[in-house]
C-alpha cells in the first residue's frame, strides 16, 4: 500500500484531540552500531540568546539559580560547583536537586522547588558536610543518591523534599563514585567509578526500596573488547579503608573502564559514559551483554561529542549527553543512531555542563554550567530550557517529507525461528532520515531481535531482546539511512530466540 505522507498527517490531526505519550522510554532504542554524525531532529543551532546559549529554533533558556547568590524568590544561597541533578514530582510541580562538587566538607546537595507554572517557590539544603558530590541518581521511591567522587568515597541517600535526614549507604561501596542508575526491573543499582581503570558495579539491595538493610556489591567481569558477554562477581570487601585493596582491584577479571561518568537506566538498558576515551556504553541487562553506543574515534568526520560526561534520557527515546569542556555542548543521540548538538554555551570554555535532567512532564530540561563565565566554582549557573521536545522518536518535530509503504499481511512468529516480511519501495532514492512503524503482537517481547534490511543489504537492529516479559511492540523507530538507496525490496526479519511464547506481525510501514 502506498500512501502520501501529508495525507496521513492531515488525517491524524483531524482525528486526534491531542498527543499522548505511549510505549516505554527505551523500547526499540538498541543501536545497531555506534552513533554517527547526522542532522538533529531539532534542526541547527541558532545564534546565542541573552544567556549565551545556542539553541534550536523554538527553544528558550532562563537562569534559575547562580552560585553564591540568593535564589530569586527565596532566601537561600545557591551552592558552588553545581554538578549531577535530577527532577522529582511534587504535586502539580516538581523539584530539581543539584550536587555540590566542593571539597573540604563543603559538598552536599541543594534543591529547587517549582510550582505547576515553573516558578521557583523554594530552595533549601538536603545534604551538607560531604566532599565532591559529583553525580548520583534518583530512586523509584523518590530519593536522590548523591555520590562522593573521592578515594574511598561514599553514597548518601537524601530526601528531595527536605523532610527526612540524609543517610550514608556504606554497603554501596567505598570508591571514587560518580553516578548511580536504578534498575527497577531487576531491583539493582548500577554504579560508575571515575578512575582511569575504574569498574562498573551493581548493587543488590537486601530489600528493594530500603537501602538501610544493606546489600551486596558486585563488579562486572568481562574481557577487554568493546562488546560481548559479561558476568557479575561479588566484591569481597566493599568498604576498604585507606591502605587496603581498592574495590576495583579485588576481583580478578573485572572489566576496567577509562573514567566512568554518567549513568542512566531505561527499559532493559543501562547507558553509561567514559570520559577518558569519549564513549557511551550500553549494558543490556536482560542478557548481561555490553556494546558501544558512541565512540568519537569511530565517527565519520569531526566528532560532535567530546568530553563525554553526564547523561540522561527523554520520553522520545533520545539520550542527552553533556560535555565536560569539549565544545560546551549537550549532544543528542537518537534511537536512529544519529549524534548531533542540541545546545551550546558560548563564552564558558573553562567550565563543564552538568546535571541534565527533564522535569516529570518532559518539556523542561535543567542543567548547570559548573563554573560559569568566571571559571570558578563560585560562578556556577543553573539553567532551564523549554521548547518543543519530541514526545516520540517519530514526532513530527522533524518529519520525513516523503511517502509511506506498508505491508499489512499477517506473519506468524514461531518459537526458535525467523519471520520475514517484505515491502517494495520505489521513487524515493536516498533513504535519508526515515521511520519504521511496527505493529507486532507477542507474549514475551524479550525473546525477539528485529532487523530492518535495505535493498542493498544495509541493516538496522531496532529491537535487541528488550522489554522482558512485556507484550506487543506498537512503536515508531526513527532511523538514518543517508547514502542508502531506498528503492527496491526492504526486508523485516523477526528472530524468536526462545520457546513457549509466540505471536504475529500485524503490519509494518516504511516512511521516507
Amino acid at each position: 500500500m502506498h500512501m502520501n505522507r501529508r495525507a496521513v498527517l492531515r488525517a491524524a490531526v483531524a482525528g486526534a484531540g491531542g498527543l499522548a505519550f505511549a510505549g516505554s522510554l527505551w523500547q526499540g532504542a538498541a543501536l545497531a552500531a555506534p552513533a554517527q554524525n547526522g542532522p538533529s531532529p531539532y534542526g541547527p543551532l541558532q545564534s546565542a540568546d541573552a544567556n549565551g546559549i545556542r539553541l534550536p529554533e523554538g527553544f528558550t533558556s532562563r537562569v534559575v539559580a547562580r552560585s553564591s547568590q540568593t535564589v530569586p524568590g527565596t532566601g537561600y544561597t545557591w551552592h558552588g560547583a553545581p554538578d549531577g541533578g535530577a527532577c522529582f514530582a511534587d504535586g502539580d510541580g516538581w523539584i530539581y536537586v543539584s550536587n555540590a562538587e566542593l571539597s573540604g566538607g563543603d559538598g552536599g546537595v541543594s534543591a529547587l522547588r517549582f510550582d505547576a507554572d515553573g516558578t521557583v517557590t523554594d530552595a533549601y539544603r538536603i545534604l551538607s558536610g560531604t566532599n565532591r558530590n559529583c553525580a548520583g541518581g534518583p530512586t523509584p521511591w523518590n530519593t536522590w543518591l548523591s555520590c562522593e567522587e573521592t578515594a574511598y568515597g561514599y553514597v548518601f541517600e537524601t530526601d528531595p523534599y527536605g523532610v527526612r535526614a540524609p543517610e550514608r549507604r556504606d554497603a554501596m561501596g567505598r570508591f571514587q563514585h560518580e553516578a548511580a542508575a536504578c534498575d527497577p526491573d531487576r531491583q539493582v543499582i548500577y554504579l560508575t567509578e571515575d578512575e582511569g581503570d575504574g569498574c562498573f558495579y551493581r548493587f543488590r539491595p537486601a530489600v528493594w526500596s530500603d537501602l538501610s538493610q544493606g546489600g551486596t556489591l558486585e563488579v562486572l567481569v568481562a574481557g577487554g573488547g568493546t562488546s560481548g558477554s559479561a558476568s557479575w562477581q561479588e566484591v569481597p570487601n566493599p568498604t576498604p579503608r585507606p591502605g587496603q585493596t581498592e574495590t576495583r582491584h579485588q576481583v580478578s577479571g573485572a572489566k576496567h573502564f577509562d573514567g566512568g561518568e554518567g549513568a542512566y537506566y531505561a527499559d532493559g538498558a543501562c547507558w553509561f559514559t567514559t570520559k577518558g576515551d569519549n564513549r557511551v556504553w550500553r549494558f543490556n541487562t536482560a542478557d548481561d551483554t555490553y556494546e558501544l553506543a558512541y565512540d568519537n574515534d569511530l565517527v565519520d568526520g569531526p566528532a560532535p561529542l567530546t568530553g563525554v560526561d553526564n547523561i540522561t534520557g527523554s520520553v522520545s527515546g533520545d539520550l542527552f549527553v553533556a560535555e565536560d569542556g569539549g565544545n560546551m555542548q549537550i549532544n543528542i543521540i537518537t534511537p536512529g543512531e544519529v549524534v548531533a548538538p542540541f545546545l551550546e554555551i558560548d563564552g564558558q570554555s573553562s567550565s563543564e555542563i552538568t546535571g541534565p535532567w527533564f522535569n516529570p512532564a518532559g518539556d523542561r530540561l535543567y542543567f548547570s554550567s559548573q563554573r560559569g563565565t568566571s571559571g570558578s566554582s563560585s560562578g556556577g549557573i543553573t539553567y532551564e530550557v523549554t521548547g518543543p521536545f519530541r514526545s516520540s522518536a517519530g514526532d513530527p518535530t522533524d518529519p520525513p517529507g516523503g511517502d509511506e509503504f506498508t505491508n499489512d499481511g499477517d506473519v506468524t512468529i514461531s518459537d526458535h525461528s525467523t519471520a520475514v516480511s517484505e515491502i517494495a519501495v520505489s521513487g524515493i532514492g536516498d533513504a535519508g532520515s526515515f521511520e519504521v512503524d511496527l505493529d507486532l503482537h507477542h507474549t514475551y517481547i524479550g525473546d525477539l531481535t528485529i532487523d530492518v534490511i535495505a535493498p542493498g543489504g544495509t541493516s538496522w537492529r531496532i529491537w535487541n531482546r528488550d522489554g522482558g516479559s512485556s507484550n506487543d511492540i506498537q512503536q515508531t523507530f526513527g532511523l538514518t539511512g543517508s547514502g542508502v538507496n531506498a528503492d527496491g525490496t526492504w526486508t523485516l526479519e523477526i528472530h524468536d530466540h526462545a520457546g513457549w511464547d509466540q505471536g504475529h506481525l500485524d503490519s509494518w510501514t516504511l516512511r521516507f
Side-chain angles (χ1 to χ4, degrees):
M1 179 172 64
H2 182 194
M3 184 178 295
N4 184 273
R5 168 67 167 162
R6 293 179 179 84
V8 173
L9 286 175
R10 290 193 192 102
V13 171
L19 292 174
F21 297 159
S24 300
L25 280 175
W26 287 100
Q27 289 184 2
L31 301 177
Q36 295 293 320
N37 279 315
S40 169
Y42 295 106
L45 302 184
Q46 306 298 304
S47 299
D49 64 12
N51 296 316
I53 301 182
R54 299 181 59 206
L55 292 161
E57 186 175 357
F59 287 83
T60 59
S61 74
R62 68 164 173 154
V63 174
V64 294
R66 292 181 182 270
S67 296
S68 310
Q69 297 185 22
T70 301
V71 177
T74 78
Y76 182 76
T77 301
W78 196 238
H79 60 270
D83 208 294
C87 284
F88 298 82
D90 182 40
D92 293 334
W94 58 92
I95 293 169
Y96 177 71
V97 300
S98 173
N99 280 350
E101 193 184 13
L102 297 170
S103 302
D106 293 328
V109 187
S110 297
L112 294 170
R113 176 174 274 120
F114 297 84
D115 66 15
D117 297 323
T119 301
V120 177
T121 61
D122 196 8
Y124 47 92
R125 195 80 165 186
I126 61 174
L127 177 67
S128 300
T130 52
N131 291 290
R132 293 183 56 81
N133 297 77
C134 197
T139 69
W141 49 93
N142 290 321
T143 61
W144 167 249
L145 301 176
S146 183
C147 300
E148 288 186 313
E149 188 191 350
T150 62
Y152 307 102
Y154 290 101
V155 175
F156 291 82
E157 186 172 18
T158 66
D159 178 13
Y161 305 92
V163 176
R164 291 173 292 169
E167 297 186 42
R168 198 176 75 189
R169 300 307 187 198
D170 293 14
M172 298 184 76
R174 292 193 71 186
F175 54 88
Q176 190 146 297
H177 283 276
E178 180 70 29
C182 289
D183 174 357
D185 301 312
R186 274 145 288 277
Q187 298 190 348
V188 298
I189 302 171
Y190 302 101
L191 300 161
T192 57
E193 181 177 25
D194 194 358
E195 297 274 9
D197 60 347
C199 289
F200 185 58
Y201 299 91
R202 181 174 73 177
F203 179 67
R204 290 185 171 277
V207 179
W208 185 243
S209 79
D210 185 0
L211 301 184
S212 68
Q213 301 302 308
T216 302
L217 183 69
E218 300 171 327
V219 66
L220 189 77
V221 175
T226 57
S227 64
S229 298
S231 60
W232 295 95
Q233 188 168 329
E234 184 174 349
V235 176
N237 178 17
T239 55
R241 296 186 303 274
Q244 295 182 323
T245 302
E246 297 94 339
T247 55
R248 67 186 186 279
H249 295 143
Q250 291 182 21
V251 174
S252 176
K255 184 169 180 62
H256 295 280
F257 296 90
D258 192 357
E261 294 287 344
Y264 179 78
Y265 175 85
D267 294 323
C270 182
W271 311 82
F272 65 98
T273 64
T274 49
K275 187 165 58 183
D277 48 18
N278 285 304
R279 287 172 170 171
V280 179
W281 300 80
R282 173 183 171 126
F283 180 74
N284 302 301
T285 59
D287 58 4
D288 288 341
T289 60
Y290 61 94
E291 58 191 303
L292 284 178
Y294 172 81
D295 185 334
N296 74 339
D297 289 335
L298 300 179
V299 173
D300 294 332
L305 173 59
T306 59
V308 176
D309 205 308
N310 288 177
I311 185 170
T312 191
S314 70
V315 295
S316 63
D318 297 313
L319 294 170
F320 286 75
V321 187
E323 291 185 335
D324 179 352
N327 298 310
M328 280 297 288
Q329 294 177 341
I330 294 179
N331 275 248
I332 184 175
I333 300 178
T334 73
E337 306 172 28
V338 171
V339 57
F342 171 73
L343 66 77
E344 180 175 320
I345 303 177
D346 284 352
Q348 301 186 27
S349 59
S350 296
S351 187
E352 62 183 278
I353 298 179
T354 59
W357 205 271
F358 285 90
N359 70 328
D363 56 4
R364 299 174 191 249
L365 174 65
Y366 294 92
F367 60 93
S368 295
S369 171
Q370 189 178 77
R371 294 176 291 280
T373 57
S374 70
S376 168
S377 61
S378 62
I381 309 172
T382 300
Y383 298 95
E384 174 195 86
V385 165
T386 60
F389 288 103
R390 303 199 297 170
S391 60
S392 69
D395 190 312
T397 296
D398 182 43
D403 298 328
E404 288 188 348
F405 302 83
T406 297
N407 186 336
D408 54 10
D410 194 274
V411 178
T412 299
I413 304 169
S414 302
D415 293 336
H416 298 291
S417 66
T418 298
V420 176
S421 180
E422 295 180 340
I423 292 177
V425 172
S426 61
I428 298 299
D430 189 279
S433 295
F434 67 101
E435 296 170 349
V436 178
D437 288 346
L438 194 61
D439 186 359
L440 181 152
H441 300 269
H442 196 278
T443 53
Y444 199 104
I445 58 177
D447 289 349
L448 306 178
T449 58
I450 303 174
D451 298 311
V452 176
I453 306 171
T458 302
S459 65
W460 296 261
R461 174 148 292 182
I462 62 173
W463 199 263
N464 192 28
R465 303 197 72 172
D466 302 309
S469 60
S470 299
N471 296 336
D472 306 337
I473 307 171
Q474 294 167 312
Q475 193 170 329
T476 297
F477 303 87
L479 303 175
T480 298
S482 298
V484 175
N485 183 10
D487 296 329
T489 300
W490 287 70
T491 304
L492 184 74
E493 292 188 352
I494 306 165
H495 311 276
D496 190 317
H497 298 271
W500 300 102
D501 293 273
Q502 301 179 358
H504 70 276
L505 172 67
D506 190 58
S507 68
W508 68 295
T509 297
L510 289 165
R511 182 181 303 114
F512 298 95

